[in-house]
Amino acid sequence: MVEIELDGQKVEVGEGSMVIHAAEKANVYIPHFCYHKKLSIAASCRMCLVDVEKAPKPMPACATPVTQGMIVRTKTDKAIKAQQSVMEFLLINHPLDCPICDQGGECQLQDLAVGYGASSSRYGEEKRVVPAKDIGPLISTEEMTRCIHCTRCVRFGQEIGGVMELGMVNRGEHSEITPVKGDTVDSELSGNMIDVCPVGALTSKPFRYSARTWELSRRKSVSPHDSTGANLIVQVKNHKVMRVVPLENEAVNECWIADRDRFSYEALNGEERLTRPMLKQGGQWQEVDWQTALEYVANGLKCVRDKHGAGAIGALVSPHSTLEELYLASALVRGVGSDNIDYRLRNAEFPAFEGVRWLGLPIAALSELQSVLVLGSNLRKDHPLFAQRVRQSARKGAKVFAINAQAYDWAMPAVHSVVAPADWTQALADVAAAVAQEKGVAAPAQGQPNGEAMAIARALLAGERKAVLLGNAAAHHAQASSLLALVQWIGQQTGAAFGYLTEAANTVGAQLAGAQPRHAGLNAQQMLAGGLKAALLLNTEPEFDSAAGARTAQGLAEVDMVVTLSPFKTNMAFSDVLLPIAPFTETSGSFVNAQGLIQSFHAVVRPLGETRPAWKVLRVLADLMGVPGVAFESSQEVLAQVSGGLGSLSADQLSNATQAPIVVARGPAEAPVAASIYQLDSLVRRAPALQLTADAREAREGAAA
């Protein structure tokens, strides 16, 4: 540790730290633009000049290393005059358009100009103008004239996104930020460039000119998409969601969010929203009141139970639903005497319930790995924020290995083994055989320790921080049990953590809530094939959410009564009832992320039209069906019933251990079904800006082919 004196107080910081790090620790504010705690040092704006004793001129706090006994003053005339001079230069070419600037009210330059700017300018020449460029549907560059060349966006792309999509070209007053890799910015994390921009040069295209920052209420929430459970600030005006930005949580999402977390809110205000219950009468849809709809559903379920037995009733539920909704759906189905409930619509294998599958390590630990093997995942697109953390590990020298059906571009150094999904168990058996050979123990299955397998084995045996992770395609695989058993053996022999990246916001919560058959109930595949007489579809669109795809319409068309609970007008071809339920912004609830952290949230806006929270709808249906023990008055009461009031799940509640036998054989040639990044759930499918991105276009073209 190094001790320095900062504005009269002693501060201890690590060796190699900069003066600005000491200031942060001492809670002393130094004005800055180019410095960002998550990005490398650029020292390009010079706004953080401070007075260092014995230095002949002011020094940039972000690029001046601390030395033992250093004396730094941030408020002397020398420091303040230097900062004022820098501000004068920054404002020379900056347009004076604060009244109409989209960044007005949350602009760092505007804020600091109040304290360090002059009342008039000595610059009388023409200001420069930078032409706008169309870099995609998410980020607007209409006001790049405002850019102060801090290069935060450039460094974000290189260091966090993994791809240098923006760069600075030319010199002097001709310098400008421009795309350098192509014409557009296509990163799945690109929206964070809007956040790191300290001026109004990069702004949100969907949000642009729709509200002023001081008109917005800010409310905390949790992302309903992938299993990171990213923390959000949802900004609201007149009971309408206007913008979504990250809420910093170092243990979960740091200060970043993926583009689907940021822009999927557009679907909340779209034309497809379902605002009143609807019944299909004589092939025509009619709007009805809630009492009529709920009584119709309850009577229909009773008729099916009386005529065909309780085993003819089942529920297909989405792992993007809240913990409370999934628990009450399970309680309803089991309360009527059935065990037919499942969230695993994309799976090809349905093993008996053994334990709650999870990541196997804290999310933050992904940033500190020394070696990692990922099987069956396009990590960068399936889990953008997990990929960002693994990328940090790779930048520190971690060895990253992948076994996939194709070599994906993860924007980090990685060794990709291209193996057909049918041969994934054999590929893992080869790795296990290599581990066994290195350790001198018996292999769990017949394998060939080839060169690729030996490289993976040696990397996993070295070091202390390592992991073997199964992705979405591995979870959906027809030999998922054998894959997990092999990964378990490899993890135990190498000391590596092992587990699932888990597909959705509440995949772990769905298991905790019992949203899968426990005894002899039908699984999702059997229910979708027409094994029911009455089906409840909770927040799911089987045509897009299941392995069967479009074939589900035929199976569900044979069901006597299909009830869809959704925020959108969907499943209309085979449904008999549509019940409008609230999306995550209009209900309270909880999601359990990949590491088992339970994160609760409140509604940020009132329900649209006659929309109702799904947990309330399910509770009323359960009452009408005579199900006992569901008289909950709030979602918090439901949560307490499920989790016992815990903030996160204990190791006893989470388990990737399996007793499944290891069967190494060539599996089905058909590849596991995995949703593309902007087809994952009903919200992202209906977000116009996301559907205009390069990723969405490629997915559509691939599906058409």
Side-chain angles (χ1 to χ4, degrees), residues 132 171 176 206 226 228 310 343 350 368 388 519 558 568 612 614-615 686 692:
R171 301 183 68 182
E176 60 179 283
D226 64 38
T228 309
Y343 73 92
F350 301 90
E368 301 295 333
Q388 183 272 128
H519 305 295
E558 298 171 6
F568 303 102
R612 296 290 181 267
W615 72 266
R686 292 171 173 82
L692 293 173

Side-chain angles (χ1 to χ4, degrees), residues 385-396:
L385 294 174
F386 288 175
Q388 183 272 128
R389 285 189 179 270
V390 174
R391 192 172 294 120
Q392 291 181 36
S393 294
R395 286 171 61 84
K396 298 170 191 171

